[in-house]
């Protein structure tokens, strides 16, 4: 029995886009909307009900705290490795401040290890997709970035994560200042095989 407007759901899925922070207007999103994104994330599929997603929400002056932390950490390890680039450092300082909210995306490993890590990554990705679709439904720009400090062990504790956990990136959120971007996908028929007999 059909309980939802499936045409509307289909439209929402094809409407979702990556909207980059440089395209945000500076207008603030109501915290209640962010709470709804997080509630919807919590209903993602999860093998053995491990619910591995962990989020930290940065907003208001918390955005500056995030910017300073990631820029400082990047500078520290990049200088040691001889890979420092001033423009990357500046981008880490600037990008969070373009946003209304930034949500760190963490994976909390099940201490019993009963679920393979890849399945936990997949569960977190499903949670992020739930947030992203919800953001699109509200007309909120959203982008999942995984550069900078994302895969650094030194970053984990700042986001409430432990050494066996993973930081999988950041969800950047803001109100777009321009028209919603157009979508681009090649036909699904090019990516599917059917076996009927």
């Amino acid at each position: 029995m059909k309980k939802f407007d499936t045409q509307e759901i289909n439209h929402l899925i094809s409407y979702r886009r990556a909207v980059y922070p440089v395209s945000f207007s500076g207008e603030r999103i109501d915290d209640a909307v962010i709470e709804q994104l997080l509630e919807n994330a919590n209903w993602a599929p999860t093998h053995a009900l491990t619910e591995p997603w962990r989020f930290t929400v940065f907003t208001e002056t918390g955005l500056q705290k995030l910017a300073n932390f990631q820029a400082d950490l990047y500078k520290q390890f990049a200088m040691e490795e001889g890979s420092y680039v001033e423009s990357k450092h500046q981008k880490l300082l600037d990008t969070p401040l373009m946003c209304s909210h930034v949500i760190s995306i963490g994976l909390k490993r099940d201490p019993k290890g009963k679920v393979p890590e890849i399945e936990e990554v997949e569960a977190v990705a499903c949670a992020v997709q739930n947030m992203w679709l919800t953001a699109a439904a509200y007309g909120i720009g959203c982008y999942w970035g995984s550069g900078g400090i994302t895969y650094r062990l030194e970053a984990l504790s700042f986001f409430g994560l432990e050494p066996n956990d993973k930081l999988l990136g950041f969800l950047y959120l803001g109100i777009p200042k321009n028209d919603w971007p157009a979508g681009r996908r090649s036909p699904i028929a090019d990516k599917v095989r059917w076996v009927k007999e």
Side-chain angles (χ1 to χ4, degrees):
M1 175 171 39
K2 187 166 118 174
K3 295 192 176 187
F4 299 95
D5 183 338
T6 51
Q7 284 190 327
E8 192 70 9
I9 293 168
N10 294 341
H11 176 65
L12 172 61
I13 291 169
S14 64
Y15 183 74
R16 184 213 57 80
R17 298 285 180 276
V19 181
Y20 301 98
V22 70
S23 300
F24 296 163
S25 67
E27 183 182 347
R28 195 167 181 285
I29 302 163
D30 192 303
D31 285 347
V33 174
I34 301 300
E35 288 168 1
Q36 186 63 63
L37 266 67
L38 295 164
E39 179 63 28
N40 290 352
N42 202 40
W43 288 97
T46 167
H47 186 186
L49 293 176
T50 59
E51 301 177 37
W53 42 83
R54 295 295 184 274
F55 305 113
T56 302
V57 182
F58 297 88
T59 191
E60 300 175 8
T61 57
L63 293 167
Q64 187 67 64
K65 185 174 183 180
L66 171 62
N68 292 343
F69 172 77
Q70 64 179 7
D72 290 348
L73 179 57
Y74 165 76
K75 188 171 187 177
Q76 176 188 330
F77 74 71
M79 287 288 198
E80 290 171 1
E81 296 169 357
S83 59
Y84 179 77
V85 178
E86 178 62 34
S87 61
K88 286 185 181 179
H89 180 260
Q90 193 61 49
K91 185 175 181 181
L92 291 169
L93 282 171
D94 294 343
T95 301
L97 305 183
M98 298 175 185
C99 303
S100 170
H101 294 71
V102 178
I103 302 175
S104 70
I105 303 164
L107 182 158
K108 186 75 170 171
R109 285 295 281 140
D110 174 47
K112 297 177 184 171
K114 57 187 173 183
V115 177
E117 183 178 84
I118 185 61
E119 294 184 13
E120 300 286 61
V121 171
E122 292 160 350
V124 174
C126 287
V128 172
Q129 177 74 341
N130 282 3
M131 287 195 285
W132 211 332
L133 288 170
T134 306
Y138 279 98
I140 293 169
C142 188
Y143 170 65
W144 183 356
S146 59
I149 65 167
T150 295
Y151 303 118
R152 303 298 302 199
L153 287 175
E154 307 93 324
L156 293 175
S157 62
F158 184 81
F159 302 100
L161 300 169
E162 297 176 12
N164 288 337
D165 301 333
K166 302 282 185 202
L167 179 63
L168 299 179
F170 301 91
L171 207 61
Y172 300 97
L173 298 154
I175 305 297
K177 60 185 172 187
N178 302 314
D179 292 337
W180 201 251
R184 299 185 308 274
R185 288 291 185 276
S186 59
I188 187 61
D190 297 345
K191 305 160 198 165
V192 176
R193 289 188 323 125
W194 289 73
V195 179
K196 293 189 175 181
E197 55 181 53

